[in-house]
Amino acid sequence: MPTPSREIRLASRPHGEPTLDNFSFATVQLPDPQPGELLVRNLCMSVDPYMRGRMNDAKSYVPPFQIGKPLEGSAVGKVILSHDKSIPEGAHVLSMYGWREAFVAPASVLRVVDTALAPPSAWLGILGITGLTAWVGLFRIAALKPGETVFVSGGAGAVGTAVCQFAKMHGCRVLASAGSEDKLEYLRNQLHVDYAFNYRDGDPLEHLKKGAPEGIHVYFDNTGGPQLEAALYALNNHGRVVMCGGISGYNQPVPGPRNLMLTIGKRLRLEGFIVSDYLNEIPAFLAEAIPALKAGKLLNQETIVEGLDAAPAALLDILHSGATNIGKMVIKLTD
Ligand SMILES: NC(=O)c1ccc[n+]([C@@H]2O[C@H](COP(=O)([O-])OP(=O)(O)OC[C@H]3O[C@@H](n4cnc5c(N)ncnc54)[C@H](OP(=O)(O)O)[C@@H]3O)[C@@H](O)[C@H]2O)c1
């Protein structure tokens, strides 16, 4: 019997800042799963900045969203009906079939997650791609060493809060920036970062000089823009920059740093990465993250928004300076 599912579609492509008009809602009737397939009802889904890039009709490392077609994103759901013996009914699975209530897919594209260990949303956040991004950036791209000083922009966001925590766990000194006072309070009082500042309050370089008079060894860049330029000044010789994201330029391109030449004299290394190239690191990452989470040394910080209808506004929100999310922005669909 067909199963109805509401989904969010791309209605039109934004020029600059997206609006709610760029999204539409539709209900589809899902067919019964065929042999090897499962019917899954999503419990929660992820809201990610990179989705903004997929709203453009541009060639990138992931294909653009298509007008009139549902958006995609990571989600954790419960298997309602299984026609594949590898995944039983009732199991929780991670998929890329978010931004819809339910879906039918082959078992081969789903990953079972253990919700006895951590709630479903944690598999989108600290134990999911978000946590992996922070961990790969710090330990595989920057090869962070204990005792080093790290600066992370977007420090109170999903990746940023994970960066702060992993770097502190490895005995590093951490500077973090964010766009609102409640985020700074969170960074100081809950994550115990060594110096937190509002990148909209004064010159970021003055903050970096104050928070790290001896300079920084690693800059974890989530924003690009003026903070990247300030970090290039603040980096010590042989410093490393983890080019993770450039959210300040996702809606409108921003000028590049004017001091890129410093990379030569200071022998800096700037390296971009895409986390999906590092899925083979999941076992090593989870071997550190799961015990730390269980021991309470690692927090799964998230901001939960209720209901599919609220998802487009949540995406628009995280693309703004001073967005409301602390930690991972998650849409809760059902229990
Ligand atoms: N390379 C990869 O494979 C990979 C994987 C995942 C994520 N990323 C990137 O990592 C970054 C963080 O992603 P996330 O999922 O953790 O998102 P997030 O940090 O939870 O949310 C985005 C945050 O960006 C900040 N922001 C928005 N506009 C800004 C601007 N103009 N200047 C400075 N900050 C701004 C907002 O916080 P404030 O209040 O601080 O302004 C907002 O909360 C993004 O750039 C994303 O694209 C890369």
Side-chain angles (χ1 to χ4, degrees), residues 23 77 101 334:
F23 305 86
E101 290 174 337
T334 182

Side-chain angles (χ1 to χ4, degrees), residues 34-330:
Q34 297 299 301
E37 291 184 334
L38 300 88
L39 170 66
V40 178
R41 181 158 299 284
N42 281 331
L43 304 179
C44 54
M45 62 189 210
S46 176
V47 181
D48 293 289
Y50 85 100
M51 296 178 71
R52 172 64 188 87
R54 295 189 72 184
M55 295 174 83
N56 296 335
D57 189 15
K59 194 166 178 241
S60 183
Y61 63 96
V62 271
F65 294 134
Q66 295 302 314
I67 292 173
K69 299 280 189 230
L71 304 188
E72 292 165 4
S74 47
V76 174
K78 190 172 180 177
V79 177
I80 303 299
L81 188 58
S82 174
H83 287 171
D84 189 284
K85 60 181 185 314
S86 68
I87 306 182
E89 282 161 23
H92 290 101
V93 290
L94 185 64
S95 80
M96 279 305 289
Y97 291 94
W99 293 70
R100 66 202 77 187
E101 290 174 337
F103 63 90
V104 171
S108 56
V109 300
L110 306 175
R111 192 176 125 218
V112 175
V113 293
D114 184 354
T115 50
L117 203 59
S121 57
W123 292 97
L124 301 174
I126 198 73
L127 296 183
I129 287 295
T130 296
L132 181 68
T133 303
W135 190 90
V136 164
L138 287 176
F139 304 117
R140 294 295 182 261
I141 306 299
L144 185 69
K145 293 188 277 293
E148 291 191 314
T149 299
V150 184
F151 165 45
V152 55
S153 56
V159 173
T161 49
V163 168
C164 292
Q165 295 185 83
F166 282 120
K168 289 298 288 180
M169 279 165 56
H170 282 250
C172 292
R173 193 176 145 71
V174 176
L175 284 73
S177 65
S180 69
E181 280 310 307
D182 56 335
K183 292 183 181 187
L184 298 184
E185 207 177 292
Y186 177 80
L187 288 165
R188 289 174 188 137
N189 299 336
Q190 303 298 318
L191 301 191
H192 309 293
V193 307
D194 299 280
Y195 187 85
F197 67 93
N198 190 331
Y199 63 93
R200 301 195 286 174
D201 176 13
D203 179 355
L205 180 57
E206 292 308 313
H207 284 291
L208 294 179
K209 284 182 185 164
K210 193 168 162 201
E214 310 293 326
I216 58 175
H217 301 98
V218 170
Y219 171 45
F220 196 112
D221 188 19
N222 284 318
T223 63
Q227 297 195 78
L228 173 57
E229 188 170 293
L232 292 177
Y233 283 121
L235 277 157
N236 292 331
N237 285 350
H238 302 284
R240 293 91 78 201
V241 180
V242 181
M243 301 291 287
C244 177
I247 198 163
S248 68
Y250 287 1
N251 283 336
Q252 295 286 355
V254 291
R258 292 165 295 184
N259 54 355
L260 207 52
M261 287 300 194
L262 287 177
T263 56
I264 303 164
K266 291 191 184 190
R267 295 85 155 174
L268 304 179
R269 183 163 62 80
L270 283 67
E271 184 173 342
F273 77 108
I274 292 296
V275 67
S276 52
D277 295 343
Y278 291 84
L279 299 184
N280 62 327
E281 295 282 2
I282 289 176
F285 155 65
L286 289 180
E288 178 171 358
I290 290 174
L293 189 70
K294 277 188 180 164
K297 292 181 189 158
L298 190 62
L299 306 176
N300 178 43
Q301 177 61 38
E302 55 193 14
T303 296
I304 299 202
V305 170
E306 300 268 345
L308 194 74
D309 293 272
L315 177 57
L316 303 191
D317 182 17
I318 64 166
L319 294 167
H320 272 114
S321 268
T324 55
N325 68 305
I326 300 185
K328 181 80 191 167
M329 179 70 97
V330 173

